[in-house]
């Protein structure tokens, strides 16, 4: 029956940046669907850990700073040592820096590109090698953005990095679909998390954005649960290289 295809009982998820925000929402959605969770964080994900455990699933915490892409090999080794396998990778960790393009610093370029694009690619590469060694495919879900589709203002490295996420999602799907690896992305719209705090504190920008969202509200972490479970499950086995907007209709305007 089709609903059985959404069941993730016994699956192991590796997710980056799940101590807060959308990552926490997705970790909890995946745990509700049956997954054990391996969380990769800079800071202690105690709140997510206790919520996952309350759902009756394992939570394994790995500490890593994804500003340094070379950490990814160790992360995958530790994940496999802890849980024996990986079935699903969620590349969620991401940062944003704001400044005029005329003033934008090389540091703000490199930091954002390293976390949002470079670590995402090399972690996907390591996990895809693991999927191939395990012999039965897997699921990779990258977190893109409206700025994978649009230019944005005063966030040059964020726009570059998230445009790269959508392109890399397609490239990795093209190369790895034959190994039964599905690579897709979710592009959240304007969601109320730490990432958008600066934007939401600017009253005129906040109201301007809200007025343009057909759904009439900012998104919340729970809005990610259904889409991520779909893309992590057998229900999406023939979906490859697609970036699904979860945006309250923003891109439809
Ligand atoms: P958030 O609350 O700021 O979450 C970002 C997560 O990434 C946090 O867990 C953060 O950990 C982690 N992270 C940042 N730098 C890291 C590093 N160097 N190493 C390891 N982890 C790191 O914001 P969010 O909105 O939930 O963001 C999640 C993803 O959604 C990001 O990729 C973001 O770009 C994307 N997104 C968000 C929106 C939105 O409207 N909120 C829209 C489109 C896309 P720390 O707590 O330790 O910093």
């Amino acid at each position: 029956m089709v609903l059985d295809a959404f069941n993730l009982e016994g699956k192991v998820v590796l997710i980056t940046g799940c101590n807060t925000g959308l990552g926490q929402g997705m970790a909890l959605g995946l745990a509700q669907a049956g997954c054990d969770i391996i969380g990769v964080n800079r800071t202690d994900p105690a709140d997510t850990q206790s919520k996952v455990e309350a759902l009756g699933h394992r939570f394994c915490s790995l500490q890593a700073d994804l500003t340094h892409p070379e950490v990814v090999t160790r992360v995958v080794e530790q994940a496999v040592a802890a849980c024996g396998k990986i079935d699903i990778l969620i590349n969620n960790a991401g940062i944003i820096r704001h400044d005029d393009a005329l003033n934008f610093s090389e540091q703000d370029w490199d930091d954002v590109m390293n976390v949002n694009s470079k670590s995402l690619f090399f972690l996907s590469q390591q996990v895809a090698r693991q999927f191939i060694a395990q012999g039965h495919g897997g699921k990779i879900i990258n977190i893109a953005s409206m700025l994978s589709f649009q230019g944005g203002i005063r966030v040059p490295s964020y726009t570059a990095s998230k445009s790269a996420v959508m392109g890399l999602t397609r490239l990795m799907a093209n190369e790895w679909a034959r190994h039964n690896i599905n690579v897709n992305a979710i592009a959240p719209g304007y969601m109320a998390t730490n990432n958008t705090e600066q934007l939401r504190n600017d009253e005129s920008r906040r109201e301007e954005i809200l007025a343009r969202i057909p759904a009439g509200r900012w998104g919340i972490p729970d809005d990610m649960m259904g889409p991520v479970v779909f893309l992590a499950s057998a229900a999406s086995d023939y979906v490859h290289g697609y970036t699904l907007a979860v945006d309250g209709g923003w891109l439809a305007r």
Side-chain angles (χ1 to χ4, degrees), residues 16-24 26 40-43 64-68 91-96 115-116 143-147 158 162 186-196 218 221 224:
T16 62
C18 68
N19 59 331
T20 178
L22 305 185
Q24 183 181 66
M26 289 188 285
V40 182
N41 290 279
R42 283 188 299 193
T43 43
D65 181 351
L66 296 167
T67 315
H68 308 291
N91 280 305
N92 169 72
I95 55 172
I96 191 165
V115 178
N116 296 11
I143 302 308
S145 163
M146 293 297 95
L147 300 191
Y158 191 76
K162 293 296 184 178
I186 296 174
Y190 286 85
M191 319 294 272
T193 67
N194 297 338
N195 175 284
T196 52
W218 283 63
M224 300 291 281

Side-chain angles (χ1 to χ4, degrees), residues 73-88:
T73 308
R74 170 182 63 80
V75 163
V76 173
E77 283 168 4
Q78 289 180 340
V80 174
C83 287
K85 63 167 185 170
I86 304 168
D87 298 299
I88 299 155

Side-chain angles (χ1 to χ4, degrees), residues 115-177:
V115 178
N116 296 11
S117 301
K118 191 170 178 182
S119 285
L120 173 144
F121 173 72
F122 285 103
L123 184 57
S124 301
Q125 180 192 62
Q126 286 298 326
V127 170
R129 289 174 178 162
Q130 176 65 24
F131 286 162
I132 291 166
Q134 291 172 184
H136 37 77
K139 304 275 183 178
I140 297 177
I141 300 158
N142 299 319
I143 302 308
S145 163
M146 293 297 95
L147 300 191
S148 305
F149 300 91
Q150 301 177 318
I153 297 169
R154 303 189 71 249
V155 286
S157 57
Y158 191 76
T159 302
S161 69
K162 293 296 184 178
S163 297
V165 169
M166 189 159 80
L168 285 169
T169 297
R170 293 175 173 140
L171 176 132
M172 294 188 283
N174 291 339
E175 293 202 21
W176 300 339

